Amino acid sequence: VGGVAQRLEAMTDTVAQLLAERSWQRRTEVPVRVGNQDRVVRCGVAVGALLPAEVDGQPVVAALVNNRVEGLGAPVATRCQLAPLTVHHPEGQLVWRHALALVMLEAAWRIDPALHLVMGYSVGYGQRIDVVGQWPAGLPALAAQLQSGAQALVDAGMRSRQEWWSVEEARDHFAERGWHGTCELLRTWFGQRVPLCAYGEVYALALSPLVHDTRALGGFRVHADADGLLLQYPRLTQGL
């Protein structure tokens, strides 16, 4: 019995030491490689603070952290290798487009909370925007309002944020907005909480990182045509 007690005591001391070391490590510094440069940085620093703002004249919109795509606001928690992503990289382009779509939905909500837009299919150089119901002033006027409203949000430099909601709360929220496809997806969601992202009042499922600062989202155009609305990406992203 004495031997077992001694082993338990030694095990307890070892576990306590490991926990203390782990806690100490979280409060200090971690090694990071940025490109070919090795650095030691404060644990918890945002990855965006360690990367250049631009690469070849294009804004950095996300980061590769150990080959995993992360937003620029993600904290550094362990040893890792970082690389910047711009829209010249396919993963960076997806982050940029996802962020711009959320900005368009935010702009629509600010025009009229009852205005229901659905981001439609990609057309290579842009994305269709479906308007549910009729817009009294007509689609050309709506396109101009969305262009102006979205550009104002971009110029304001709004920061992305992520929140964790219960699945039931998120499902009720999207049902009120008429986002029935998202509601159906949440019916099969694994787990009790779901990550949501936003720039303002409009939330979406956080299925990929967002551009941390909306000022990286300029150069788009909103057009009205025979099929509805078209969100046109800047020439830089066409064909990527």
Side-chain angles (χ1 to χ4, degrees):
V1 175
V4 172
Q6 289 178 349
R7 286 195 296 272
L8 288 175
E9 182 178 357
M11 184 181 299
T12 301
D13 291 342
T14 300
V15 171
Q17 182 179 358
L18 288 172
L19 290 175
E21 290 177 354
R22 185 176 183 183
S23 177
W24 177 79
Q25 289 171 359
R26 285 182 174 178
R27 293 194 300 269
T28 55
E29 299 174 324
V30 291
V32 171
R33 172 171 281 248
V34 183
N36 295 322
Q37 181 183 11
D38 291 317
R39 301 176 58 181
V40 177
V41 303
R42 176 177 54 84
C43 188
V45 65
V47 297
L50 307 177
L51 297 172
E54 295 184 349
V55 174
D56 297 330
Q58 299 302 321
V60 173
V61 298
L64 280 178
V65 182
N66 290 337
N67 293 318
R68 184 181 65 252
V69 180
E70 295 282 2
L72 296 180
V76 174
T78 187
R79 177 194 300 268
C80 61
Q81 183 165 349
L82 302 180
L85 288 178
T86 71
V87 291
H88 283 298
H89 190 286
E91 295 288 352
Q93 186 195 33
L94 290 176
V95 170
W96 190 94
R97 292 185 176 190
H98 174 61
L100 182 58
L102 188 53
V103 165
M104 296 302 304
L105 295 176
E106 179 71 23
W109 185 88
R110 296 189 181 206
I111 292 171
D112 185 346
L115 175 59
H116 185 192
L117 300 185
V118 177
M119 303 308 295
Y121 58 88
S122 173
V123 292
Y125 56 89
Q127 186 175 8
R128 303 301 318 185
I129 303 177
D130 297 323
V131 181
V132 179
Q134 297 292 322
W135 186 246
L139 291 183
L142 178 57
Q145 287 181 283
L146 286 172
Q147 175 74 47
S148 176
Q151 188 61 55
L153 296 176
V154 168
D155 294 340
M158 301 185 72
R159 296 297 183 94
S160 64
R161 70 180 189 275
Q162 180 172 305
E163 301 175 9
W164 286 90
W165 292 25
S166 71
V167 172
E168 293 78 10
E169 182 183 13
R171 192 165 59 233
D172 290 345
H173 171 80
F174 290 121
E176 291 175 359
R177 295 277 175 135
W179 293 18
H180 302 299
T182 304
C183 291
E184 289 302 314
L185 176 61
L186 289 176
R187 292 186 186 280
T188 58
W189 189 267
F190 180 78
Q192 298 181 341
R193 302 184 70 79
V194 58
L196 301 184
C197 58
Y199 284 113
E201 300 299 323
V202 177
Y203 289 86
L205 291 180
L207 301 180
S208 66
L210 285 178
V211 173
H212 189 53
D213 188 318
T214 57
R215 286 173 292 186
L217 297 175
F220 60 90
R221 299 295 300 175
V222 183
H223 303 281
D225 58 23
D227 296 320
L229 297 180
L230 173 67
L231 173 60
Q232 183 179 359
Y233 304 133
R235 184 177 298 275
L236 174 66
T237 62
Q238 291 181 14
L240 291 182

